[in-house]
Amino acid sequence: MFKPVSTKVDFPALERETLRWWYESGVVEKYLKRNEKSKKRWSFIDGPITANNPMGVHHAWGRTYKDLYQRFHTMLGERQRYQNGFDCQGLWVEVEVEKELGFTSKQDIEAYGIARFVEKCKERVWKYAAVQTEQSKRLGYFMDWDNSYYTMSDENNYMIWHFLKVCHERGWIYRGADVMPWCPRCATGLSEMEVSEGYQERTHTSLFARFPLEGRDREYLLVWTTTPWTLAANVAAAVHPDLTYQKVKQGDDIYYVAREAVPNAIRGEYEVVGEVKGSDMLGWRYRGPFDELPAEQGVEHRVIPWDAVDAAEGTGIVHIAPGAGREDYQLGKEHNLAVVAPLDESGVYVDGFDWLTGMRVATVAEPIVENLREKGLLYHAYPHTHRYPTCWRCGTDLVFRLVEEWYIAVDPWREQIMEVAKAVRWIPEFGLERELDWLRNMDDWMISKKRYWGLALPIWTCDACGWFDVIGSETELKERAVAGWEEFEGHTPHRPWVDAVKIRCEQCGGIASRIPDVGNPWLDAGIVPFSTLRYRHDREYWREWFPADFITESFPGQFRNWFYSLLAQSTVLVGQSPFRTVLGFATLRDERGEEMHKSKGNAIWFDDAAERMGADVMRWLYLKHNPAQNLNFGFSLGDEARRQFILPLWNSYAFFANYAALDGFNPAEHDVPLAERTLLDRWILSRLQEVVRVVRDRLSDYDSLNAARAIEEFVVEDLSNWYIRRNRRRFWKTESDRDKAAAYLTLHEVLVTVTKLLAPFLPFMTEVMYRNLVLSVDPSAPESVHLTDFPEVDESKVDPDLDRDMAALLHVVGLGRAARARANVKVRQPLPRVLVGSRQDGAVAAIERLKDQLLDELNVKDFEVVDNPDEYVTYRVRPNLAVLGPKYGPKLGAIRKALEAADPARIGQLQRAGRPVTLTVDDETVELNPDELLVEVQDREGFSVAEDRDFMVALDLTITPELRLEGMARDFVRGVQDARKNAGLQIEDTIETVYQASGELAEAIERFADYIKGETLSTDLRPGDPEADGFHREEIKVGKQRVTVGITKVGRLAGARTEG
RNA sequence: GGGCGUUUAGCUCAGUUGGUGAGAGCACACCCCUGAUAAGGGUGAGGUCCCUGGUUCGAGUCCAGGAACGCCCA
């Protein structure tokens, strides 16, 4: 039997209870196995979540898509792997562990011990993987949680070794040098992303220095720098070839300065003694500011061209130090300049810089100023405030350092990967364009990072001769090991253990060691379609599941990260994409559309969201959203979704369950053929088929937005606001007859089907609904909605004519309500007639077919068809003199006459349609625009009319005494019902009703006594004393009068059950 | 500077292959209904669909150019 359902639900509590039941009863296990024998398979590959912190509501967005589509394909009977993944290695984890341990630099880590540190990193990953697993379960995400993959696994790391080996065999791995932003305190390079987060206002010593030109006595290039420490690495000076440089004379000295920069750069009196184009200065030699240093020996300083030079700041001549600046380094490559690299990884000057050697970069500005002054090369020094990049972790000023890193050359396979990307279906479509743009422009892939916790890059180099080789597997390493294997054996392939293993240098016979670098973490995530699908050990399994049918992740960033690394590694290994379709989604924002930040206080934690709004509500917010757009997320949006959809759905379900429980209705005991059901029954079942069709179609196309909208519209509009509202009385009837059974059967079928349609969206509440709607009357059914099949369209129930007719009826009902609203006659007052007309052939026939609904909905007694709708509206047309006067002048009189003679209905209709009216005035044709006419619409006397293009609906406003009394009786019923509610009575309780009334009101009550008694379950209705003992007393407004009633409970309907 | 996206009601957003008068929710005004709904419903007001030009019988939708904003790259 159905269980009664409360409409006051604590959804989060219901979810927790359901969650517990799922895992205790083995439902999840059965879900994972239900299709294991199926021939159809659907392959999903999970993009690993970084197991470094608790999961956020933005992760929940993506995980909801993942769950939705896996559930949908499960209900379609397709075999799947359900494997979740964790991203484990990388600096993110190191940073958090450093925070835990209070570390601020690499030295701290080295002192602590790399092995201990790496173990700490692993611990953190395990910890947060467990946290995220529990959170994901709370979201309702069904996965094979005991079988999650971890990118720190041996298999994942060794699979990358294989990939790198393949790259190396094709000659694509190389060692390169680049100048990058570097934190001297943390002793690490920073990515562009990290740099952009750490700009701060700083005051540094800036200076103008003069570089003596060779062969031009007492002539100097004047340069400006905000980083004096880089002067020791100077090798060139750049000018813009198109700029004009002036020779500025001060005393006996002549300075070259860009013309626009002279006022800013030159101090004191000066004289311009000549001009020269930048292009004419190219190749000039000069003496560098630190030529005496050993590191500068043999370096030739010269003037080079650079288009980026401008004269707005400084002197228009830029000092170039390829070992200490990024653009400088690029320019150096172009112009084949020497590279002088002054700093070690802690920002200390290396050997070869004489008195500077051993000094920290942050301390040299003043000594350098002094040194230049002594050498006569200083022009001017001063404190300068500017925005300067600093380390986001420790705030230290960044420097630029020449570093050696390892790269994969991209050009050899750039074209191929672009072709591979084109074979993928990108949702939204513009994803392809963005990915191609990235692929077209990307630089060689830098795969190394000078850190501790990550993939141990399998590159062994010989210190003696520089030879290197890439090891492709653990077995290859063992075979080639000449030392350290025992130390490594039994450990994961991480630092520091793997570093112990040495191999023979095949070039000089010496000993080769692993480079200390770890790998780029996107290698870890991108290899997953191989590592998790057993590419190395079970090729058949791999072939079965590769490529994935579907992946989904957040768009921003992933074009150059996961999407890229997936495509790159797969292109190299097998020449095809590892996924067929990718669904990208945008960024999660707060309710006002602002970015969520812990520091801003607008961040929402997943656990809070799940407990406050419930996982189903969260999921609905995610799934009803257009993934290409940023998602605004917050509690009031959750409330809105609950109010607009979740509650109407639940209330529809509760309506059925409560009445069915009350009636002891069992669907298995009834069978009413479709043909014997009402038009409304057949209509809602027909509409249901359409919804099933749309939802299947949209979900197959990864379009949750339109699937969700279709369901929501159906549930709220068709089911709740029309079908159930119009059919309530069929469920109230005390006797059990065939029509009531038809209503129950219909509503039950709709609710069960909707429950299944919604199961992938709202796994919790659909489970609760299903177990009551299905399992409580059919114990042989699957125990969980998540073990059922997805609904299919039943073509025999589709009735397009009925759909169309009902749509027309709803349209007319809207007009009828508008007509009532205009006349200000409330619905409780019955009216005698509604007249419906249409200018379209056959349109009224649809209304006639369904007129019972119209009459009842509008509370009108009779329905009539009118042939000429125009009879019920009259138009009064007047010229708009303010506009027409100035325009037509003397002709206006004739126009007014012509207007009066014309048919007002025709003119009114044209005007309302926004079209011009053509009149013939004195044999001339005059066209009057809509704004040149004033049209008043007047309903025919005694009617209220509403019309649009299709229909005219006129309500006859005649209220006969009989109708008036009936209206009063309805008011009375309404009041008694309120009294019942206020008295705390149950729906099925019967009452006695007494009242004190006189005159017309008493007449109304007497006349409609049977009706009132039926509606209010009154066994007795009589004039009497409402103040009597045991009576609940209430004052009721009837029309403009008041009447006092008293009610008291006398029993309850036979067969009724108490609401639980 | 290059690529991509966005621009529709006060706010947040829908608007399939171009098809008659442009939609929803929130907010607002008025009204109504209610023994399924601590709810809900209706009516109304509110829009040069960013701008300019083009294609077309017809453009929010297609094309070209431009603007503003956002993301990515340089």
Side-chain angles (χ1 to χ4, degrees):
Chain A
M1 296 304 298
F2 297 112
K3 290 185 280 292
V5 172
S6 169
T7 51
K8 293 149 200 163
V9 209
D10 178 352
F11 284 109
L14 205 64
E15 291 177 354
R16 286 192 299 270
E17 203 178 297
T18 305
L19 185 63
R20 197 180 320 120
W21 177 74
W22 278 338
Y23 284 92
E24 281 172 4
S25 66
V27 160
V28 180
E29 200 60 28
K30 287 174 194 160
Y31 168 89
L32 298 176
K33 289 189 173 147
R34 70 159 265 186
N35 298 326
E36 83 188 340
K37 302 249 159 51
S38 174
K39 289 204 175 67
K40 294 180 287 182
R41 75 112 176 93
W42 188 74
S43 180
F44 167 75
I45 290 181
D46 185 33
I49 179 171
T50 307
N52 188 34
N53 278 303
M55 172 178 132
V57 287
H58 58 292
H59 292 114
W61 184 7
R63 289 168 109 63
T64 300
Y65 284 131
K66 293 174 183 183
D67 193 41
L68 171 78
Y69 293 112
Q70 289 182 88
R71 283 178 183 276
F72 174 59
H73 284 273
T74 302
M75 290 178 83
L76 292 179
E78 294 164 15
R79 191 155 45 92
Q80 291 172 63
R81 295 176 62 251
Y82 306 109
Q83 189 178 34
N84 172 78
F86 293 108
D87 205 8
C88 310
Q89 303 175 339
L91 186 57
W92 310 301
V93 180
E94 288 193 45
V95 167
E96 293 296 334
V97 171
E98 282 182 87
K99 271 194 220 160
E100 278 174 29
L101 297 173
F103 292 174
T104 54
S105 72
K106 276 164 102 169
Q107 284 87 338
D108 291 339
I109 296 169
E110 304 264 355
Y112 183 75
I114 297 175
R116 282 173 76 197
F117 183 75
V118 163
E119 290 299 348
K120 282 277 181 196
C121 291
K122 288 184 187 173
E123 275 171 32
R124 186 177 177 88
V125 167
W126 288 118
K127 176 180 169 187
Y128 284 101
V131 169
Q132 292 175 343
T133 297
E134 288 311 306
Q135 292 179 306
S136 300
K137 288 178 177 175
R138 179 63 188 83
L139 180 66
Y141 194 10
F142 276 11
M143 284 298 240
D144 188 359
W145 295 112
D146 297 333
N147 192 29
S148 291
Y149 70 80
Y150 293 78
T151 60
M152 65 187 178
S153 71
D154 291 5
E155 184 55 29
N156 210 66
N157 281 301
Y158 288 132
M159 185 63 226
I160 301 170
W161 284 25
H162 173 74
F163 163 75
L164 293 172
K165 177 92 180 176
V166 169
C167 290
H168 181 52
E169 282 166 358
R170 297 178 193 172
W172 299 341
I173 303 256
Y174 70 92
R175 177 170 28 195
D178 201 358
V179 169
M180 62 189 301
W182 187 272
C183 174
R185 187 179 165 88
C186 301
T188 183
L190 279 78
S191 70
E192 286 299 326
M193 195 83 108
E194 293 171 306
V195 171
S196 64
E197 281 174 28
Y199 274 86
Q200 288 187 21
E201 195 128 295
R202 288 292 160 94
T203 301
H204 292 124
T205 299
S206 294
L207 61 83
F208 290 89
R210 54 187 206 176
F211 296 167
L213 286 161
E214 303 269 7
R216 290 167 187 263
D217 195 29
R218 303 207 72 160
E219 292 192 11
Y220 304 89
L221 298 172
L222 196 62
V223 301
W224 176 67
T225 181
T226 58
T227 51
W229 67 270
T230 60
L231 288 172
N234 175 272
V235 301
V239 298
H240 196 300
D242 300 336
L243 281 179
T244 298
Y245 291 82
Q246 292 187 323
K247 294 170 75 170
V248 176
K249 190 167 186 202
Q250 285 190 306
D252 294 331
D253 299 326
I254 288 175
Y255 300 108
Y256 287 84
V257 180
R259 185 168 58 200
E260 293 80 359
V262 169
N264 181 42
I266 299 297
R267 298 169 61 79
E269 300 291 314
Y270 66 89
E271 186 188 348
V272 177
V273 297
E275 282 190 350
V276 60
K277 284 278 273 193
S279 52
D280 294 329
M281 295 166 68
L282 301 181
W284 288 5
R285 307 274 164 81
Y286 66 90
R287 273 197 291 123
F290 285 91
D291 278 0
E292 69 278 13
L293 298 179
E296 286 273 357
Q297 295 313 304
V299 173
E300 183 179 78
H301 301 274
R302 66 174 200 269
V303 175
I304 59 167
W306 189 22
D307 284 347
V309 171
D310 82 303
E313 255 189 334
T315 65
I317 301 175
V318 178
H319 131 72
I320 300 296
R326 176 151 261 192
E327 292 90 350
D328 309 47
Y329 186 73
Q330 292 305 323
L331 274 177
K333 277 208 246 180
E334 270 176 50
H335 295 281
N336 205 18
L337 301 177
V339 176
V340 179
L343 302 181
D344 73 6
E345 66 169 29
S346 296
V348 172
Y349 279 88
V350 297
D351 285 345
F353 287 83
D354 190 28
W355 61 275
L356 282 164
T357 298
M359 289 183 80
R360 296 197 155 271
V361 63
T363 65
V364 300
E366 287 311 317
I368 282 178
V369 168
E370 274 317 303
N371 179 270
L372 291 173
R373 197 192 311 277
E374 283 164 20
K375 293 189 285 195
L377 300 178
L378 185 72
Y379 183 76
H380 174 55
Y382 65 103
H384 177 68
T385 302
H386 55 159
R387 286 183 59 73
Y388 191 80
T390 63
C391 176
W392 58 277
R393 290 166 60 199
C394 64
T396 305
D397 288 355
L398 299 185
V399 295
F400 283 83
R401 244 191 112 232
L402 183 64
V403 218
E404 256 192 7
E405 300 288 359
W406 290 83
Y407 296 85
I408 299 174
V410 158
D411 279 330
W413 42 281
R414 192 187 299 275
E415 289 303 319
Q416 192 189 2
I417 192 175
M418 289 173 71
E419 289 310 310
V420 166
K422 286 178 196 166
V424 170
R425 176 166 181 224
W426 296 81
I427 307 173
E429 279 179 33
F430 65 73
L432 174 61
E433 291 309 314
R434 298 199 58 164
E435 188 65 43
L436 289 177
D437 183 54
W438 163 256
L439 296 174
R440 225 180 337 259
N441 297 308
M442 67 183 172
D443 295 329
D444 287 347
W445 191 359
M446 190 178 100
I447 54 171
S448 57
K449 185 126 188 163
K450 304 197 177 328
R451 294 295 308 192
Y452 305 99
W453 171 233
L455 167 80
L457 284 173
I459 302 172
W460 267 257
T461 61
C462 175
D463 282 346
C465 71
W467 170 88
F468 75 90
D469 199 1
V470 174
I471 300 293
S473 68
E474 60 274 45
T475 48
E476 183 186 346
L477 182 63
K478 185 173 184 180
E479 279 164 20
R480 292 179 63 177
V482 295
W485 179 260
E486 297 72 24
E487 222 173 303
F488 167 57
E489 199 165 24
H491 286 102
T492 61
H494 289 106
R495 297 190 69 187
W497 308 288
V498 70
D499 297 343
V501 183
K502 310 291 177 191
I503 67 170
R504 177 80 53 207
C505 169
E506 292 179 355
Q507 190 165 282
C508 72
I511 294 294
S513 307
R514 201 189 71 81
I515 59 170
D517 305 25
V518 296
N520 178 309
W522 294 109
L523 287 167
D524 303 354
I527 204 67
V528 157
F530 295 88
S531 59
T532 65
L533 300 183
R534 310 179 194 165
Y535 180 79
R536 296 200 310 157
H537 306 294
D538 185 351
R539 203 53 71 89
E540 203 171 310
Y541 182 86
W542 176 80
R543 271 190 216 101
E544 187 183 357
W545 294 100
F546 183 99
D549 291 289
F550 181 65
I551 64 170
T552 177
E553 295 298 326
S554 173
F555 256 10
Q558 300 303 347
F559 294 104
R560 62 192 166 89
N561 293 329
W562 196 49
F563 299 155
Y564 164 64
S565 64
L566 280 173
L567 289 171
Q569 291 175 78
S570 191
T571 298
V572 168
L573 289 173
V574 296
Q576 72 176 104
S577 167
F579 54 94
R580 291 198 171 98
T581 298
V582 51
L583 169 66
F585 55 95
T587 304
L588 188 136
R589 301 286 179 83
D590 78 1
E591 275 183 3
R592 294 193 311 245
E594 288 170 24
E595 284 184 51
M596 280 192 188
H597 284 299
K598 286 180 213 172
S599 56
K600 258 165 85 176
N602 64 345
I604 295 177
W605 306 116
F606 172 81
D607 296 342
D608 290 345
E611 282 323 300
R612 275 178 63 187
M613 69 172 84
D616 279 341
V617 168
M618 292 175 70
R619 293 171 65 113
W620 195 248
L621 288 179
Y622 297 138
L623 297 176
K624 214 186 95 176
H625 184 74
N626 177 354
Q629 296 271 349
N630 288 338
L631 169 64
N632 295 354
F633 183 88
F635 289 106
S636 56
L637 292 166
D639 289 341
E640 194 177 310
R642 184 184 303 105
R643 222 175 40 242
Q644 278 169 7
F645 177 61
I646 303 291
L647 283 178
L649 172 67
W650 185 264
N651 290 331
S652 300
Y653 154 67
F655 172 81
F656 171 85
N658 288 332
Y659 278 97
L662 206 59
D663 275 337
F665 177 78
N666 183 349
E669 293 166 3
H670 298 83
D671 180 23
V672 182
L674 197 59
E676 292 174 35
R677 301 203 193 179
T678 66
L679 285 171
L680 271 172
D681 291 342
R682 278 147 58 192
W683 169 75
I684 195 74
L685 290 170
S686 175
R687 287 282 304 124
L688 178 67
Q689 306 315 312
E690 174 64 11
V691 173
V692 171
R693 194 189 63 72
V694 169
V695 172
R696 285 185 80 103
D697 178 65
R698 292 298 79 216
L699 288 186
S700 302
D701 203 34
Y702 306 107
D703 177 7
S704 69
L705 164 64
N706 284 302
R709 289 168 90 99
I711 301 175
E712 180 169 308
E713 194 189 341
F714 175 76
V715 167
V716 174
E717 297 298 330
D718 296 340
L719 182 63
S720 178
N721 284 344
W722 191 244
Y723 179 79
I724 293 181
R725 193 162 55 77
R726 290 257 39 89
N727 282 299
R728 271 178 299 189
R729 292 180 167 265
R730 295 169 72 197
F731 298 87
W732 296 349
K733 289 187 298 191
T734 46
E735 68 274 24
S736 289
D737 66 5
R738 203 163 168 76
D739 177 62
K740 186 172 181 174
Y744 272 127
L745 287 172
T746 303
L747 183 52
H748 184 253
E749 179 177 344
V750 171
L751 286 171
V752 169
T753 305
V754 165
T755 299
K756 290 178 183 173
L757 285 178
L758 278 171
F761 296 80
L762 311 174
F764 293 99
M765 71 184 289
T766 54
E767 184 74 302
V768 173
M769 290 166 63
Y770 169 84
R771 287 178 57 78
N772 193 15
L773 288 171
V774 175
L775 220 62
S776 59
V777 292
D778 178 10
S780 69
E783 66 196 283
S784 163
V785 70
H786 306 299
L787 302 174
T788 64
D789 293 336
F790 205 73
E792 290 185 56
V793 178
D794 181 347
E795 297 293 347
S796 71
K797 290 174 179 151
V798 178
D799 187 341
D801 290 347
L802 184 54
D803 289 350
R804 196 198 52 230
D805 288 356
M806 191 68 77
L809 177 80
L810 287 167
H811 193 76
V812 167
V813 164
L815 290 171
R817 283 195 278 240
R820 263 205 184 262
R822 282 184 58 195
N824 207 8
V825 180
K826 61 186 176 183
V827 175
R828 229 178 289 144
Q829 174 61 57
L831 291 174
R833 280 195 303 169
V834 57
L835 300 91
V836 178
S838 175
R839 295 180 185 87
Q840 291 179 3
D841 290 342
V844 179
I847 310 306
E848 200 149 19
R849 182 185 186 192
L850 298 164
K851 69 176 179 183
D852 290 349
Q853 298 303 324
L854 178 67
L855 295 179
D856 202 45
E857 178 70 12
L858 295 178
N859 193 18
V860 173
K861 298 297 177 191
D862 278 312
F863 168 82
E864 271 179 43
V865 174
V866 295
D867 296 328
N868 183 7
D870 294 332
E871 287 175 21
Y872 290 87
V873 214
T874 54
Y875 294 91
R876 181 161 167 251
V877 180
R878 292 177 298 144
N880 187 346
L881 297 175
V883 180
L884 290 176
K887 188 169 175 183
Y888 291 102
K891 258 167 71 180
L892 195 54
I895 290 175
R896 292 181 76 161
K897 269 188 190 150
L899 209 49
E900 278 165 31
D903 173 16
R906 187 181 68 89
I907 294 179
Q909 281 161 27
L910 284 172
Q911 195 262 3
R912 293 176 80 191
R915 288 160 59 192
V917 175
T918 309
L919 294 174
T920 306
V921 180
D922 298 339
D923 299 331
E924 265 182 70
T925 301
V926 173
E927 208 167 74
L928 300 179
N929 293 322
D931 65 328
E932 293 168 343
L933 293 170
L934 298 173
V935 175
E936 285 172 21
V937 186
Q938 287 175 326
D939 298 346
R940 193 165 120 180
E941 182 70 26
F943 291 86
S944 178
V945 182
E947 64 174 337
D948 66 7
R949 217 163 32 93
D950 297 319
F951 289 101
M952 185 283 309
V953 177
L955 287 175
D956 184 344
L957 299 174
T958 313
I959 299 172
T960 61
E962 174 76 11
L963 290 175
R964 185 176 152 75
L965 292 181
E966 185 180 340
M968 294 172 85
R970 287 191 59 152
D971 275 352
F972 185 79
V973 166
R974 181 82 276 287
V976 175
Q977 304 289 34
D978 274 344
R980 288 179 57 109
K981 257 193 196 171
N982 295 338
L985 298 181
Q986 299 295 317
I987 300 170
E988 65 275 16
D989 291 337
T990 52
I991 57 171
E992 279 181 15
T993 305
V994 297
Y995 62 92
Q996 283 180 331
S998 60
E1000 200 181 24
L1001 186 50
E1003 191 188 345
I1005 296 171
E1006 279 161 35
R1007 176 84 65 86
F1008 290 94
D1010 288 344
Y1011 161 73
I1012 294 168
K1013 282 158 80 176
E1015 291 294 310
T1016 60
L1017 294 188
S1018 297
T1019 55
D1020 191 23
L1021 172 68
R1022 61 175 189 276
D1025 177 13
E1027 305 285 350
D1029 277 353
F1031 277 79
H1032 172 86
R1033 179 180 164 279
E1034 195 118 353
E1035 195 168 79
I1036 295 175
K1037 243 181 105 175
V1038 177
K1040 284 178 186 140
Q1041 309 175 51
R1042 286 178 186 282
V1043 56
T1044 311
V1045 300
I1047 59 171
T1048 189
K1049 176 178 168 179
V1050 295
R1052 62 178 38 195
L1053 287 181
R1057 282 168 184 78
T1058 314
E1059 191 173 338

